[in-house]
Amino acid sequence: MSLWLLPVSLLLVGPVLWMAGHRAAPGRRRLVLGAGGATALAVATVGAVAATLASSTATYPVGAGLVLQVAAGPIAGPVAVLVAAIATVVAMYAARHEGQHVDGDEDGAGLARLVGLLVAFAGAMLLVVLADDLLSLTVGWELVGALSWALIGHDWRDADAPGAAAHAYNATRFGGLGLVLAAGAAFAATGSLGYDALGGVDGVALHVMVAGVLLAAVSKSALVPFSPWLFSAMAGPTSVSALLHSSTMVAAGAYALIRLQPVLDTAPWFGPVAIGIGLVTALAGGVVGLLQGHAKKLLAASTSAQYGLMVVAVGAGAPQVAVLHLVAHAVFKAQLFLSAGVAITAVGSHDLARMRLRGVLPWTARLTLVATLALAAVPPLGAAFTKEQVLAAGTHAAAWVGLLVAVAGGLSAAYATRFQLLAFGGARPDRPSPRPLVRRPARVELAALAVLAAGSVTLGLLWVPAVHESVVTALGATLPEARPWELPASLGLVATGGYVVWSLDRRGRLGHVPAAASQQAVADWFALPRLVRVAVVAPTLRLATALATVDDRFVDAGVEAAAGLGERLSRLASGAGELTIDGMVRGVARAGTVLADTSVRVGERGVEQTVDGVAWLAGRAGQDVRRTQTGLVHQQYVVIAVGMVVVLATAILGR
């Protein structure tokens, strides 16, 4: 089986599933979409496992010396399995959870479109993961961006959804231009876009390529300064957020850095810059998560923070640690978003202060607690192991880097505890009462949460030395050696973060919405969206307005003046033409008429006179000939003799 079938089949199955779900009977639509989407993605998961075990590769020449390449290598293969597996669970959840209105009506057409796009979205991400050249990576990158726009703007009847989708798309699309620039620099330097040829890029081309890839990755993974677009992406359905944040679009940027780290690290500035961006994002995301009262936005801030930690590991020279944390994060983050969707649907609000659903949704609360502990990096869950490895990698780069990673881990524990208490904690008499339940989760939704929770627990096996050593060996690397102080310091900060939030809740001081305007600005990414509007958007709009004015007053004025001059010259030429050309034509016509009349008169007279003369001569000749016919023989002899003389004279003279 060609490796191309993995991404391409899902890209084709998505539209087919969309049409099939749209035409299915309302009573069977959810079953058709859930079974069809989950089956296609489950088959892709099995195919990804087989391709990984076989280390499959495939190529496709497109001409002009360009060849598309895919490979299920030590890093790409496991991540491909992760993408397909997470998408399988999310598709099952989406088919049951989404498209249900409060009044009981179903948006059948919207649900079919949503599930179909989710399947195709997973296919596009598989192309990004399996790509073994910059051209294939760019194609997958653009497909992921376009499909994310459609998924985020799924609820197009909501006035805010199209604008939010455009914001997310434009922010990531701008960064994506860096990938195109990187591909151009690599091709100019080596004549190839294959990953295996990138080691030959050097000089200016190397710095251009590394900067382009870094720009694209930072924008896609919502790192500072691109983080605010993740809040706009929350306009999409919960299942979209779960897939987008866990193993697809937002993961694409960090994955690209992981996959290309050996080449990127040849630029001496890459490591420090990546570490700086990662640390700023991890710390800023932690603070934002502590102040957010919107359930999905809190999780979105945590997404940026966790991908910041992965980029720190990449910058510190440990891409294998980053990929392990990517896998652990995908599992618990998908579950957290699905749990948030259950809570939001149950109370009909995104407001965390209106939830506290432990008493009414006990199973959802228990299952969510597993994912929350994973986000907080509490042992023995697998996410705790991978976070400690990020700490070790950071300390290997510099002690202060490791210390800041530990602080970011403490913030993670704090906002994870806050989410659990506000969304699924017990009701408090001093807080607003939870809203009446609008809808309870179905068994399929709980099953999706249970599968992902089991995944987080299973990843706890990474704490076993034999297991993590075999995993890291399969990745083709070794883990960084931890310092003795790292684990105690890290766990101490985790415990501190969780305890502070828990104690605030016990005293009724766990705010859900910042009271002060300054706190609200911090909760909105430190007023970064406002800064972008003032420093980038507004000047750009003013420049566009100024250019439009210049265009109207000068460019268009010049064009209009030229057109007016041409019109006037045309009128002048038209008048001159009437005076000259038309006059000449009329004169020629009159002369022709006169000549014709003259020729008619002359012709009639000449012809008549000629005919009359010929007739007269013929008559006279006839009369003369008749005179010779007297009947006398001697006269006839005279005529004959004269004729012979004439003939002889003619013959003699003719010589």
Side-chain angles (χ1 to χ4, degrees), residues 381-395:
L381 295 173
F385 175 83
T386 59
K387 195 269 288 183
E388 296 304 327
Q389 296 305 312
V390 173
L391 172 57
T395 305

Side-chain angles (χ1 to χ4, degrees), residues 186-372:
F187 190 77
T190 65
S192 173
L193 295 175
Y195 288 170
D196 56 352
L198 298 183
V201 182
D202 56 8
V204 175
L206 173 64
H207 298 292
V208 172
M209 181 186 71
V210 173
V213 172
L214 183 60
L215 173 63
V218 167
S219 67
K220 209 73 158 181
S221 285
L223 306 181
V224 174
F226 293 93
S227 304
W229 75 257
L230 269 190
F231 282 3
S232 295
M234 295 304 98
T238 303
S239 54
V240 171
S241 300
L243 190 58
L244 185 145
H245 283 249
S246 61
S247 61
T248 54
M249 182 173 175
V250 190
Y255 173 80
L257 295 182
I258 292 169
R259 184 70 176 84
L260 298 174
Q261 189 273 342
V263 175
L264 302 177
D265 201 43
T266 57
W269 55 266
F270 169 75
V273 171
I275 290 174
I277 293 174
L279 285 176
V280 170
T281 305
L283 297 172
V287 174
V288 171
L290 283 174
L291 296 176
Q292 266 296 330
H294 187 291
K296 289 174 65 176
K297 288 184 178 180
L298 186 155
L299 296 177
S302 77
T303 296
S304 288
Q306 296 301 313
Y307 282 110
L309 292 178
M310 296 176 208
V311 173
V312 169
V314 173
Q320 71 281 359
V321 169
V323 76
L324 287 176
H325 196 57
L326 186 150
V327 171
H329 173 265
V331 176
F332 71 69
K333 186 53 63 69
Q335 183 187 352
L336 286 172
F337 269 106
L338 298 186
S339 296
V342 170
I344 292 166
T345 303
V347 301
S349 173
H350 293 89
D351 189 356
L352 285 166
R354 292 293 182 180
M355 296 180 182
R356 293 187 174 270
L357 300 171
R358 185 179 64 191
V360 291
L361 297 177
W363 278 107
T364 304
R366 295 186 188 111
L367 292 171
T368 304
L369 180 59
V370 176
T372 301

Side-chain angles (χ1 to χ4, degrees), residues 67-82:
V67 180
L68 299 178
Q69 305 174 55
V70 288
I75 291 178
V79 176
V81 174
L82 173 76

